[in-house]
Amino acid sequence: DSTTAKTEAKPAVVPGGNYATLKRSNGTVFLLDSLKDGSISQGNTRIEKKNGMLIYSVAEDKNLRADQIIYNTLSTPAGGQYQVLLPDGSKVWLNAASSLYFPSAFKSDIREVSIQGEAYFEVAHDNRRPFHVKVEDMVVKVLGTHFNINAYKDDDNIRTSLLEGSIRITTGNTSKLLQPGQQGILKTGNGALDVKDADMDHVIAWKNGLFDFSGSDFYTIMHQISRWYNVDIEFAGQVPNRDFEGKISRKAQLSEILQILELQNLKFEVTGGKIIVKN
């Protein structure tokens, strides 16, 4: 019976893929994983869906009024990722359990978007219109550059990592300029903003289809696994206080990931969409 087939849950241990929902301020909602590739909306804005990516192209219209601009929210579930090419030519990669809020056309002197979760940006250079990314009370100001923002709610920090170009992070009365190879760390509890050097290959491993456990603590690793395999984590004992090493493809089965972690004298039980960590 076809209704049963639709409601059947996906196996909990399958790695994530290109899954997302697009909600538009005019009321339309697109479930992108069940939608065929091709053009999905017409009018002043043309949206094309192609291989896990949305491509926005907008006809230049100098008379476009602010109330004619449609706002979009692209959201990935746990176990999902997606890419979008914005109307200005900027490209954004969204990690699992994340969302990007953006207009169908950048009309004014500022290109502004908002994110939750994690996203990697390659911003198209435009001297006339700086690009702003809002994350809670923080704004990242850009002209044209490559950077990553990690702002999951279950972390105490918002990490902004710069690969190329320059960005300015502003929060409250604090403002810091980042150089390539640096990471701005905003402590969400007290609003303190620190800058340090960071391993950019490690930061954007997710965007390149990898888990990179090198130097990560166990808590961080388990959060990454939880989001990508859409499983809950339960700690039946103390969380190990040590750093890990190693890289593995995000296409790997959950069992393969856990086998690697078990080399660190850990034990895992997977049951009903949940990983129980035993040590």
Side-chain angles (χ1 to χ4, degrees):
D1 152 35
S2 63
T3 41
T4 328
K6 277 182 191 165
T7 53
E8 258 178 33
K10 281 189 284 196
V13 291
V14 169
N18 295 326
Y19 305 117
T21 303
L22 178 69
K23 289 185 181 169
R24 311 192 76 212
S25 58
N26 64 0
T28 51
V29 177
F30 298 101
L31 303 173
L32 298 175
D33 24 316
S34 58
L35 203 66
K36 287 197 177 82
D37 281 4
S39 187
I40 63 172
S41 184
Q42 292 296 332
N44 194 58
T45 309
R46 183 163 173 270
I47 310 170
E48 190 185 348
K49 174 183 180 276
K50 188 178 180 183
N51 298 333
M53 184 180 190
L54 285 182
I55 300 163
Y56 276 73
S57 45
V58 63
E60 265 305 316
D61 183 357
K62 298 278 188 280
N63 304 315
L64 187 63
R65 298 192 317 272
D67 63 354
Q68 292 176 298
I69 295 175
I70 291 173
Y71 285 84
N72 308 271
T73 304
L74 180 66
S75 305
T76 54
Q81 64 181 9
Y82 228 78
Q83 294 176 40
V84 59
L85 186 67
L86 296 174
D88 68 328
S90 297
K91 195 170 176 185
V92 187
W93 285 254
L94 264 192
N95 203 349
S98 303
S99 67
L100 174 74
Y101 179 76
F102 61 98
S104 55
F106 293 112
K107 171 65 177 163
S108 66
D109 51 353
I110 290 175
R111 298 171 285 164
E112 188 172 272
V113 303
S114 307
I115 72 145
Q116 290 181 341
E118 185 165 23
Y120 175 76
F121 290 82
E122 289 185 354
V123 173
H125 192 82
D126 185 342
N127 270 329
R128 297 173 301 110
R129 297 183 300 174
F131 192 99
H132 288 187
V133 183
K134 294 180 74 175
V135 191
E136 295 184 22
D137 299 330
M138 185 184 89
V139 180
V140 177
K141 300 179 180 177
V142 182
L143 279 174
T145 192
H146 299 187
F147 61 100
N148 192 86
I149 300 179
N150 183 314
Y152 284 111
K153 296 280 189 198
D154 53 25
D155 198 346
D156 297 333
N157 301 311
I158 295 174
R159 297 173 189 271
T160 307
S161 310
L162 180 65
L163 286 85
E164 190 181 294
S166 73
I167 55 178
R168 180 174 290 283
I169 301 174
T170 305
T171 176
N173 299 322
T174 311
S175 185
K176 299 214 170 164
L177 193 67
L178 259 60
Q179 304 299 327
Q182 289 185 326
Q183 183 177 79
I185 302 166
L186 176 66
K187 292 200 174 355
T188 48
N190 59 13
L193 180 60
D194 295 320
V195 175
K196 65 166 195 173
D197 291 337
D199 176 350
M200 294 299 148
D201 286 342
H202 175 75
V203 167
I204 65 160
W206 71 269
K207 176 246 174 192
N208 295 330
L210 293 170
F211 286 109
D212 183 352
F213 297 148
S214 309
S216 295
D217 62 64
F218 186 63
Y219 192 71
T220 302
I221 289 170
M222 293 315 290
H223 271 311
Q224 289 177 6
I225 289 170
S226 166
R227 285 190 288 262
W228 187 237
Y229 292 91
N230 193 14
V231 288
D232 293 325
I233 309 292
E234 184 181 300
F235 296 99
Q238 281 193 307
V239 178
N241 183 20
R242 58 178 177 266
D243 287 346
F244 292 76
E245 294 299 323
K247 295 180 184 176
I248 188 168
S249 167
R250 288 193 358 150
K251 290 180 179 167
Q253 296 297 309
L254 178 62
S255 55
E256 296 174 77
I257 304 268
L258 298 182
Q259 275 169 8
I260 288 176
L261 294 174
E262 280 176 342
L263 299 173
Q264 301 272 354
N265 294 324
L266 291 162
K267 288 193 168 55
F268 300 95
E269 182 188 328
V270 181
T271 169
K274 182 192 286 183
I275 302 173
I276 300 168
V277 183
K278 304 172 173 183
N279 58 355

